[in-house]
Amino acid sequence: MPDMIVRLLPASALRPVCLLLGGATGLVLVAVALVPAAPHRRPGRPVVEVERPTPVATPSTTPTAPGWHDDARDAAAVTYYRSAVPEVAGHVREVIWTAPILRVYTDLPGTDANSPAALALCQTGAAYLQVRGRAPVVFVHARERDGYPVLANKMDANDSCRLGRVP
């Protein structure tokens, strides 16, 4: 059986391993086994191990949303809301990026789906994204105690922010 193992693996991939066993009679048994030294690699294909550089954080003077980072808060969007629509900006509690979606969390009740305030927040969020050259994908959410239901959303440039069917 050991001959079969040696024939399957090239000699360069084997290394000896010694096992020492002691018994009650004081005899020591030494066994030599051949085990693979490394995983088998096909010849002719070099293995290149590259050390990746550590990213260096650079301080930013303007707060902007990272492109595709989950749960990234966007303080610049909150500032944009306050300057663009001050009459409804007071409802904004937090603006967060989840993948390509700008999520606007408000203090509006869950029954305010398609309300003027929710639609204004959605349209303002879409304008904020378009100014920055991003796809206008915005979700406006109700308050926490109502379970954060979506009050208005915009899925693309042709969408009106109105929900099609409101429960």
Side-chain angles (χ1 to χ4, degrees), residues 18-32:
C18 297
L19 303 172
L20 300 175
L21 302 173
T25 60
L27 295 175
V28 176
L29 173 65
V30 177
V32 177

Side-chain angles (χ1 to χ4, degrees), residues 37-117:
H40 179 67
R41 295 188 176 104
R42 293 194 302 199
R45 295 197 178 211
V47 176
V48 179
E49 294 182 13
V50 178
E51 195 171 312
R52 295 176 190 242
T54 306
V56 178
T58 56
S60 175
T61 56
T62 306
T64 58
W68 293 82
H69 293 95
D70 287 344
D71 296 330
R73 287 167 175 68
D74 191 347
V78 175
T79 304
Y80 185 86
Y81 274 106
R82 289 184 184 144
S83 65
V85 286
E87 61 277 0
V88 293
H91 294 293
V92 176
R93 293 296 170 247
E94 192 171 35
V95 179
I96 293 178
W97 286 93
T98 55
I101 300 169
L102 185 71
R103 294 188 183 274
V104 182
Y105 291 94
T106 69
D107 63 356
L108 297 171
T111 57
D112 272 8
N114 290 332
S115 69

Side-chain angles (χ1 to χ4, degrees), residues 119-145:
L119 294 174
L121 292 172
C122 180
Q123 291 162 353
T124 304
Y128 169 74
L129 294 174
Q130 287 179 331
V131 165
R132 282 151 181 78
R134 305 232 6 194
V137 182
V138 181
F139 282 68
V140 177
H141 293 273
R143 61 190 174 199
E144 179 182 11
R145 75 173 176 220

